[in-house]
Amino acid sequence: MRTFNNILITGGAGFIGSNMVRYLFEGYANFAGRVINLDSLTYAGNPESLADIAERYGKGAKPRYVFVQGDICDRPLIEKLFKDYEIDAVIHFAAESHVDRSIVGPEAFIRTNVMGTFTLLDVARNAWKTSDGTLRKDVLFHHISTDEVYGSLGETGYFTETTAYDPRSPYSASKAGSDHLVMAYHHTYGLPVTLTNCSNNYGPYQFPEKLIPLMILNMTEGKPLPVYGDGKNIRDWLYVEDHNSAVWLVMRQGKIGEKYNIGGENEWQNIELLKKLINIVAEETGKNTNDLRSLITYVKDRPGHDRRYAIDCSKLKGELGWSQSVSFEEGLRKTVRWYLANPTWVAHVRSGEYRSWIEKNYDKR
Ligand code: NAD
Ligand code: TYD
């Protein structure tokens, strides 16, 4: 079993990354070392998501949690972080992550997802060189990727780790590029890497442009629920904590140089998911189910909208003994309750007002 002392998490102020930091300190991981969270705070990043973690672990002479506002493309900054904090593991979440935004403005996706990943890999390769020129074996670069690199499925079949890449949006193409770079750094330079491709995540702290939080908030505000196309596109949904438990398992016990698929084995047509979510929101808020259903509005389809994603995660289950722990019903209910209980987080992340919180809580670098 691999152990780590100083983990650099990129994109740790975003949805999955912030849940990962929480999982490391206070979840099942019970991590005893230090986490450096590097995030440039795009519209999607909000360090307020980890305010309590910063309070508990970020104080004193040797804090175990350090937040750094910075860009993964900034090579001198990353070199400094590797040196100052003796980084021995990277969990690379940072990315431009929303397909719709990649259609409107692809450039930021290429910059962050491709160039940013390259910069991190290249700094790691140099920082982890030993005196005889080979790379240390007690370190790890874990790359977080998506099932979307595999393309779109028809009504049957599953993505396995050997499915050929066939990305179809600027988002998935840039993630595919980053995956190839990670594997190339392993094969060419011997960089110790692991890589995971996960299906759609949901849970607390997700920016409300993605399907589930958007729909929950629109329901509470009586706004239209925009369903793209015929609403029959299928996604495989996984609760965010189950994603992070799989990542942590792969980092500690997965084979170096290998990739693992992570999935919910939980496929839903968007329209059926929405109906289920409506029932839960109605129960949790006392709103009328028919009133909520009347908000469903079919809108123009997303260009190149992938029809179906479905992950075969039998490698992860068979080799490492992972399984999902949160049912869809339970996960959706927890998520609805979290959004209902955290209107200030929602208001701040939507308005960008959390930036004034940063001014008050962090020194400018
Ligand atoms: P997110 O958009 O919520 O968070 C991304 C974070 O990265 C933000 O905090 C943002 O500020 C930061 N960031 C963006 N560009 C940066 C840069 N140049 N330098 C430093 N930080 C930068 O995304 P998420 O949903 O948490 O996704 C995290 C990772 O997981 C991504 O790599 C994504 O491709 C992958 N993934 C997401 C899902 C999903 O369903 N959300 C599924 C599978 C894989
Ligand atoms: P999304 O959360 O953007 O994730 P991804 O595109 O990465 O899978 O969208 C999930 C599904 O929901 C996808 O099929 C597009 C659809 N969708 C809508 O129908 N309406 C919306 O407003 C959004 C944001 C997504």
Side-chain angles (χ1 to χ4, degrees), residues 97-100 148 171 200 209-212 214-215 226-228 233 235 237 270 302 305-306 309:
S97 69
H98 191 45
V99 175
D100 292 327
E148 302 191 29
Y171 165 64
N200 284 63
E209 65 185 347
K210 303 278 168 78
L211 182 72
I212 290 179
L214 179 84
M215 293 299 178
V227 175
Y228 297 165
N233 299 67
R235 298 291 182 264
W237 293 94
N270 292 336
R302 171 189 280 172
H305 194 174
D306 289 340
Y309 303 143

mmCIF file of all heavy atoms in Angstrom, residues 97-100 148 171 200 209-212 214-215 226-228 233 235 237 270 302 305-306 309, ligand 2:
data_model
loop_
_atom_site.group_PDB
_atom_site.id
_atom_site.type_symbol
_atom_site.label_atom_id
_atom_site.label_comp_id
_atom_site.label_asym_id
_atom_site.label_seq_id
_atom_site.Cartn_x
_atom_site.Cartn_y
_atom_site.Cartn_z
ATOM 1 N N SER A 97 -14.458 22.463 -16.965
ATOM 2 C CA SER A 97 -15.186 21.193 -16.876
ATOM 3 C C SER A 97 -16.592 21.173 -17.483
ATOM 4 O O SER A 97 -17.234 20.132 -17.460
ATOM 5 C CB SER A 97 -15.285 20.785 -15.401
ATOM 6 O OG SER A 97 -16.155 21.659 -14.708
ATOM 7 N N HIS A 98 -17.058 22.303 -18.016
ATOM 8 C CA HIS A 98 -18.460 22.292 -18.462
ATOM 9 C C HIS A 98 -18.577 22.253 -19.993
ATOM 10 O O HIS A 98 -18.105 23.164 -20.683
ATOM 11 C CB HIS A 98 -19.185 23.512 -17.903
ATOM 12 C CG HIS A 98 -20.677 23.451 -18.090
ATOM 13 N ND1 HIS A 98 -21.415 22.314 -17.823
ATOM 14 C CD2 HIS A 98 -21.560 24.369 -18.526
ATOM 15 C CE1 HIS A 98 -22.687 22.545 -18.097
ATOM 16 N NE2 HIS A 98 -22.799 23.782 -18.529
ATOM 17 N N VAL A 99 -19.219 21.198 -20.484
ATOM 18 C CA VAL A 99 -19.313 20.966 -21.937
ATOM 19 C C VAL A 99 -19.913 22.186 -22.656
ATOM 20 O O VAL A 99 -19.397 22.633 -23.690
ATOM 21 C CB VAL A 99 -20.170 19.715 -22.235
ATOM 22 C CG1 VAL A 99 -20.382 19.543 -23.736
ATOM 23 C CG2 VAL A 99 -19.534 18.475 -21.641
ATOM 24 N N ASP A 100 -20.999 22.750 -22.110
ATOM 25 C CA ASP A 100 -21.651 23.886 -22.790
ATOM 26 C C ASP A 100 -20.692 25.067 -22.950
ATOM 27 O O ASP A 100 -20.669 25.723 -23.987
ATOM 28 C CB ASP A 100 -22.899 24.327 -22.011
ATOM 29 C CG ASP A 100 -24.001 23.274 -22.062
ATOM 30 O OD1 ASP A 100 -24.106 22.586 -23.093
ATOM 31 O OD2 ASP A 100 -24.744 23.126 -21.077
ATOM 32 N N GLU A 148 -16.163 10.842 -20.713
ATOM 33 C CA GLU A 148 -16.532 11.498 -21.975
ATOM 34 C C GLU A 148 -15.450 11.349 -23.050
ATOM 35 O O GLU A 148 -15.714 11.540 -24.232
ATOM 36 C CB GLU A 148 -16.865 12.976 -21.729
ATOM 37 C CG GLU A 148 -17.994 13.104 -20.727
ATOM 38 C CD GLU A 148 -18.590 14.510 -20.593
ATOM 39 O OE1 GLU A 148 -18.561 15.266 -21.575
ATOM 40 O OE2 GLU A 148 -19.091 14.814 -19.503
ATOM 41 N N TYR A 171 -14.452 20.023 -24.750
ATOM 42 C CA TYR A 171 -14.132 19.580 -23.386
ATOM 43 C C TYR A 171 -13.520 18.186 -23.401
ATOM 44 O O TYR A 171 -12.418 17.966 -22.894
ATOM 45 C CB TYR A 171 -15.393 19.590 -22.500
ATOM 46 C CG TYR A 171 -15.224 18.817 -21.207
ATOM 47 C CD1 TYR A 171 -14.301 19.221 -20.249
ATOM 48 C CD2 TYR A 171 -15.983 17.665 -20.951
ATOM 49 C CE1 TYR A 171 -14.133 18.493 -19.062
ATOM 50 C CE2 TYR A 171 -15.818 16.940 -19.766
ATOM 51 C CZ TYR A 171 -14.895 17.358 -18.828
ATOM 52 O OH TYR A 171 -14.729 16.648 -17.661
ATOM 53 N N ASN A 200 -20.577 10.709 -14.624
ATOM 54 C CA ASN A 200 -21.110 11.967 -14.072
ATOM 55 C C ASN A 200 -21.219 11.930 -12.555
ATOM 56 O O ASN A 200 -21.828 11.010 -12.007
ATOM 57 C CB ASN A 200 -22.510 12.240 -14.646
ATOM 58 C CG ASN A 200 -22.448 12.752 -16.059
ATOM 59 O OD1 ASN A 200 -21.973 12.049 -16.957
ATOM 60 N ND2 ASN A 200 -22.918 13.968 -16.276
ATOM 61 N N GLU A 209 -24.432 25.111 -12.655
ATOM 62 C CA GLU A 209 -24.659 25.142 -14.100
ATOM 63 C C GLU A 209 -24.832 23.708 -14.583
ATOM 64 O O GLU A 209 -25.286 23.472 -15.685
ATOM 65 C CB GLU A 209 -23.470 25.793 -14.823
ATOM 66 C CG GLU A 209 -22.191 24.980 -14.683
ATOM 67 C CD GLU A 209 -20.951 25.621 -15.262
ATOM 68 O OE1 GLU A 209 -21.075 26.606 -16.009
ATOM 69 O OE2 GLU A 209 -19.837 25.131 -14.958
ATOM 70 N N LYS A 210 -24.440 22.738 -13.744
ATOM 71 C CA LYS A 210 -24.549 21.323 -14.103
ATOM 72 C C LYS A 210 -25.960 20.849 -13.787
ATOM 73 O O LYS A 210 -26.647 21.417 -12.928
ATOM 74 C CB LYS A 210 -23.513 20.499 -13.346
ATOM 75 C CG LYS A 210 -22.070 20.947 -13.551
ATOM 76 C CD LYS A 210 -21.446 20.408 -14.824
ATOM 77 C CE LYS A 210 -20.133 21.072 -15.176
ATOM 78 N NZ LYS A 210 -18.992 20.642 -14.430
ATOM 79 N N LEU A 211 -26.360 19.768 -14.461
ATOM 80 C CA LEU A 211 -27.775 19.381 -14.475
ATOM 81 C C LEU A 211 -28.444 19.338 -13.091
ATOM 82 O O LEU A 211 -29.463 19.999 -12.866
ATOM 83 C CB LEU A 211 -27.925 18.016 -15.167
ATOM 84 C CG LEU A 211 -29.375 17.528 -15.275
ATOM 85 C CD1 LEU A 211 -30.143 18.334 -16.310
ATOM 86 C CD2 LEU A 211 -29.436 16.047 -15.630
ATOM 87 N N ILE A 212 -27.889 18.561 -12.173
ATOM 88 C CA ILE A 212 -28.621 18.305 -10.914
ATOM 89 C C ILE A 212 -28.751 19.552 -10.035
ATOM 90 O O ILE A 212 -29.874 19.927 -9.657
ATOM 91 C CB ILE A 212 -28.038 17.065 -10.190
ATOM 92 C CG1 ILE A 212 -28.422 15.826 -11.017
ATOM 93 C CG2 ILE A 212 -28.530 16.970 -8.738
ATOM 94 C CD1 ILE A 212 -27.926 14.499 -10.506
ATOM 95 N N LEU A 214 -28.515 22.660 -10.919
ATOM 96 C CA LEU A 214 -29.310 23.656 -11.663
ATOM 97 C C LEU A 214 -30.796 23.378 -11.511
ATOM 98 O O LEU A 214 -31.604 24.284 -11.222
ATOM 99 C CB LEU A 214 -28.924 23.624 -13.149
ATOM 100 C CG LEU A 214 -29.705 24.592 -14.033
ATOM 101 C CD1 LEU A 214 -29.069 25.979 -13.997
ATOM 102 C CD2 LEU A 214 -29.796 24.102 -15.472
ATOM 103 N N MET A 215 -31.157 22.109 -11.660
ATOM 104 C CA MET A 215 -32.574 21.749 -11.588
ATOM 105 C C MET A 215 -33.112 21.954 -10.168
ATOM 106 O O MET A 215 -34.217 22.455 -9.984
ATOM 107 C CB MET A 215 -32.769 20.294 -12.039
ATOM 108 C CG MET A 215 -32.471 20.064 -13.511
ATOM 109 S SD MET A 215 -33.558 21.029 -14.595
ATOM 110 C CE MET A 215 -32.925 20.597 -16.208
ATOM 111 N N PRO A 226 -34.817 23.477 -17.903
ATOM 112 C CA PRO A 226 -34.508 23.287 -19.329
ATOM 113 C C PRO A 226 -33.971 21.908 -19.661
ATOM 114 O O PRO A 226 -32.897 21.524 -19.212
ATOM 115 C CB PRO A 226 -33.414 24.358 -19.581
ATOM 116 C CG PRO A 226 -32.769 24.577 -18.247
ATOM 117 C CD PRO A 226 -33.793 24.268 -17.195
ATOM 118 N N VAL A 227 -34.731 21.150 -20.429
ATOM 119 C CA VAL A 227 -34.315 19.808 -20.840
ATOM 120 C C VAL A 227 -33.859 19.885 -22.303
ATOM 121 O O VAL A 227 -34.626 20.284 -23.181
ATOM 122 C CB VAL A 227 -35.490 18.811 -20.704
ATOM 123 C CG1 VAL A 227 -35.108 17.444 -21.251
ATOM 124 C CG2 VAL A 227 -35.925 18.718 -19.246
ATOM 125 N N TYR A 228 -32.606 19.500 -22.539
ATOM 126 C CA TYR A 228 -32.056 19.580 -23.894
ATOM 127 C C TYR A 228 -32.649 18.476 -24.779
ATOM 128 O O TYR A 228 -32.707 17.308 -24.367
ATOM 129 C CB TYR A 228 -30.541 19.407 -23.894
ATOM 130 C CG TYR A 228 -29.734 20.463 -23.155
ATOM 131 C CD1 TYR A 228 -28.396 20.231 -22.846
ATOM 132 C CD2 TYR A 228 -30.293 21.686 -22.779
ATOM 133 C CE1 TYR A 228 -27.630 21.183 -22.179
ATOM 134 C CE2 TYR A 228 -29.533 22.644 -22.118
ATOM 135 C CZ TYR A 228 -28.213 22.385 -21.812
ATOM 136 O OH TYR A 228 -27.452 23.307 -21.160
ATOM 137 N N ASN A 233 -31.256 11.541 -23.460
ATOM 138 C CA ASN A 233 -29.822 11.252 -23.339
ATOM 139 C C ASN A 233 -29.588 10.583 -21.986
ATOM 140 O O ASN A 233 -30.244 10.919 -21.005
ATOM 141 C CB ASN A 233 -29.005 12.549 -23.442
ATOM 142 C CG ASN A 233 -29.225 13.223 -24.773
ATOM 143 O OD1 ASN A 233 -30.321 13.690 -25.035
ATOM 144 N ND2 ASN A 233 -28.210 13.253 -25.605
ATOM 145 N N ARG A 235 -27.017 9.322 -18.856
ATOM 146 C CA ARG A 235 -25.772 9.474 -18.116
ATOM 147 C C ARG A 235 -25.761 8.452 -16.984
ATOM 148 O O ARG A 235 -26.799 8.017 -16.505
ATOM 149 C CB ARG A 235 -25.646 10.900 -17.527
ATOM 150 C CG ARG A 235 -25.619 12.016 -18.588
ATOM 151 C CD ARG A 235 -24.333 11.965 -19.393
ATOM 152 N NE ARG A 235 -24.192 13.024 -20.396
ATOM 153 C CZ ARG A 235 -24.509 12.888 -21.690
ATOM 154 N NH1 ARG A 235 -25.048 11.755 -22.135
ATOM 155 N NH2 ARG A 235 -24.283 13.881 -22.539
ATOM 156 N N TRP A 237 -24.745 8.026 -13.217
ATOM 157 C CA TRP A 237 -24.511 8.979 -12.118
ATOM 158 C C TRP A 237 -23.869 8.336 -10.901
ATOM 159 O O TRP A 237 -24.281 7.250 -10.473
ATOM 160 C CB TRP A 237 -25.842 9.631 -11.716
ATOM 161 C CG TRP A 237 -26.371 10.510 -12.813
ATOM 162 C CD1 TRP A 237 -27.254 10.158 -13.794
ATOM 163 C CD2 TRP A 237 -26.010 11.867 -13.063
ATOM 164 N NE1 TRP A 237 -27.473 11.226 -14.635
ATOM 165 C CE2 TRP A 237 -26.722 12.284 -14.211
ATOM 166 C CE3 TRP A 237 -25.160 12.785 -12.435
ATOM 167 C CZ2 TRP A 237 -26.619 13.578 -14.742
ATOM 168 C CZ3 TRP A 237 -25.054 14.073 -12.963
ATOM 169 C CH2 TRP A 237 -25.772 14.445 -14.101
ATOM 170 N N ASN A 270 -32.169 11.654 -18.913
ATOM 171 C CA ASN A 270 -32.278 12.943 -18.212
ATOM 172 C C ASN A 270 -33.700 13.215 -17.728
ATOM 173 O O ASN A 270 -33.914 13.667 -16.611
ATOM 174 C CB ASN A 270 -31.830 14.088 -19.128
ATOM 175 C CG ASN A 270 -30.342 14.023 -19.421
ATOM 176 O OD1 ASN A 270 -29.571 13.437 -18.639
ATOM 177 N ND2 ASN A 270 -29.921 14.600 -20.538
ATOM 178 N N ARG A 302 -28.166 20.601 -27.204
ATOM 179 C CA ARG A 302 -26.736 20.957 -27.208
ATOM 180 C C ARG A 302 -26.124 20.433 -28.514
ATOM 181 O O ARG A 302 -26.375 19.274 -28.874
ATOM 182 C CB ARG A 302 -26.103 20.271 -25.995
ATOM 183 C CG ARG A 302 -24.615 20.334 -25.925
ATOM 184 C CD ARG A 302 -24.087 19.430 -24.808
ATOM 185 N NE ARG A 302 -24.194 20.042 -23.505
ATOM 186 C CZ ARG A 302 -23.940 19.387 -22.371
ATOM 187 N NH1 ARG A 302 -23.582 18.124 -22.376
ATOM 188 N NH2 ARG A 302 -24.039 20.009 -21.218
ATOM 189 N N HIS A 305 -24.548 16.679 -28.936
ATOM 190 C CA HIS A 305 -24.902 16.118 -27.624
ATOM 191 C C HIS A 305 -24.710 14.598 -27.587
ATOM 192 O O HIS A 305 -25.419 13.865 -28.273
ATOM 193 C CB HIS A 305 -26.371 16.480 -27.352
ATOM 194 C CG HIS A 305 -26.799 16.274 -25.948
ATOM 195 N ND1 HIS A 305 -28.034 16.653 -25.502
ATOM 196 C CD2 HIS A 305 -26.169 15.750 -24.868
ATOM 197 C CE1 HIS A 305 -28.152 16.376 -24.218
ATOM 198 N NE2 HIS A 305 -27.025 15.818 -23.815
ATOM 199 N N ASP A 306 -23.757 14.120 -26.786
ATOM 200 C CA ASP A 306 -23.513 12.674 -26.690
ATOM 201 C C ASP A 306 -24.758 11.978 -26.153
ATOM 202 O O ASP A 306 -25.384 12.432 -25.201
ATOM 203 C CB ASP A 306 -22.328 12.391 -25.753
ATOM 204 C CG ASP A 306 -20.992 12.808 -26.360
ATOM 205 O OD1 ASP A 306 -20.916 12.949 -27.600
ATOM 206 O OD2 ASP A 306 -20.031 13.007 -25.597
ATOM 207 N N TYR A 309 -23.682 7.648 -22.035
ATOM 208 C CA TYR A 309 -22.419 7.214 -21.424
ATOM 209 C C TYR A 309 -22.757 6.087 -20.457
ATOM 210 O O TYR A 309 -23.732 6.186 -19.700
ATOM 211 C CB TYR A 309 -21.771 8.327 -20.578
ATOM 212 C CG TYR A 309 -21.466 9.630 -21.268
ATOM 213 C CD1 TYR A 309 -21.625 10.836 -20.571
ATOM 214 C CD2 TYR A 309 -20.971 9.689 -22.564
ATOM 215 C CE1 TYR A 309 -21.324 12.051 -21.159
ATOM 216 C CE2 TYR A 309 -20.673 10.911 -23.160
ATOM 217 C CZ TYR A 309 -20.850 12.083 -22.451
ATOM 218 O OH TYR A 309 -20.554 13.286 -23.027
HETATM 219 P P1 TYD B 2 -24.097 18.119 -17.531
HETATM 220 O O1 TYD B 2 -24.432 18.210 -16.077
HETATM 221 O O2 TYD B 2 -23.725 19.376 -18.249
HETATM 222 O O3 TYD B 2 -22.965 17.004 -17.675
HETATM 223 P P2 TYD B 2 -22.308 16.350 -19.030
HETATM 224 O O4 TYD B 2 -22.730 17.086 -20.216
HETATM 225 O O5 TYD B 2 -20.838 16.502 -18.751
HETATM 226 O O6 TYD B 2 -22.755 14.922 -19.019
HETATM 227 O O7 TYD B 2 -25.332 17.506 -18.298
HETATM 228 C C1 TYD B 2 -25.853 16.220 -17.975
HETATM 229 C C2 TYD B 2 -26.922 15.875 -18.972
HETATM 230 O O8 TYD B 2 -28.024 16.788 -18.795
HETATM 231 C C3 TYD B 2 -26.476 16.051 -20.414
HETATM 232 O O9 TYD B 2 -27.114 15.048 -21.206
HETATM 233 C C4 TYD B 2 -27.019 17.422 -20.808
HETATM 234 C C5 TYD B 2 -28.290 17.526 -19.997
HETATM 235 N N1 TYD B 2 -28.671 18.896 -19.563
HETATM 236 C C6 TYD B 2 -29.970 19.354 -19.794
HETATM 237 O O10 TYD B 2 -30.813 18.664 -20.382
HETATM 238 N N2 TYD B 2 -30.302 20.610 -19.370
HETATM 239 C C7 TYD B 2 -29.400 21.416 -18.731
HETATM 240 O O11 TYD B 2 -29.753 22.569 -18.386
HETATM 241 C C8 TYD B 2 -28.083 20.926 -18.476
HETATM 242 C C9 TYD B 2 -27.050 21.780 -17.797
HETATM 243 C C10 TYD B 2 -27.762 19.652 -18.927
#
